[in-house]
Amino acid sequence: MREMSFTTLTEQDRKRNEYLDKTNHAPYFTIVMTGMGIVSLFTMFVLLGAF
């Protein structure tokens, strides 16, 4: 493990942190839309199977 250094951030460190802040997020929109699609398909098949 690297040794911790508490110095001021360099420009390269700032760019790296900015990039990681933008890219390291869970895809909540995709997760919600997939869940809604699965529920909708299940509901459709149940309704079609009832008739």
Side-chain angles (χ1 to χ4, degrees):
M1 190 160 68
R2 284 186 3 184
E3 193 174 306
M4 293 294 291
S5 60
F6 297 101
T7 60
T8 58
L9 294 176
T10 64
E11 189 61 34
Q12 183 181 10
D13 292 335
R14 282 193 189 96
K15 285 182 182 178
R16 184 182 305 121
N17 288 343
E18 184 179 327
Y19 169 76
L20 290 174
D21 284 342
K22 284 194 299 188
T23 57
N24 284 343
H25 294 290
Y28 295 115
F29 180 75
T30 304
I31 293 169
V32 169
M33 292 310 271
T34 302
M36 287 174 56
I38 291 170
V39 169
S40 297
L41 284 173
F42 177 75
T43 304
M44 183 181 70
F45 287 133
V46 168
L47 289 174
L48 288 175
F51 292 107

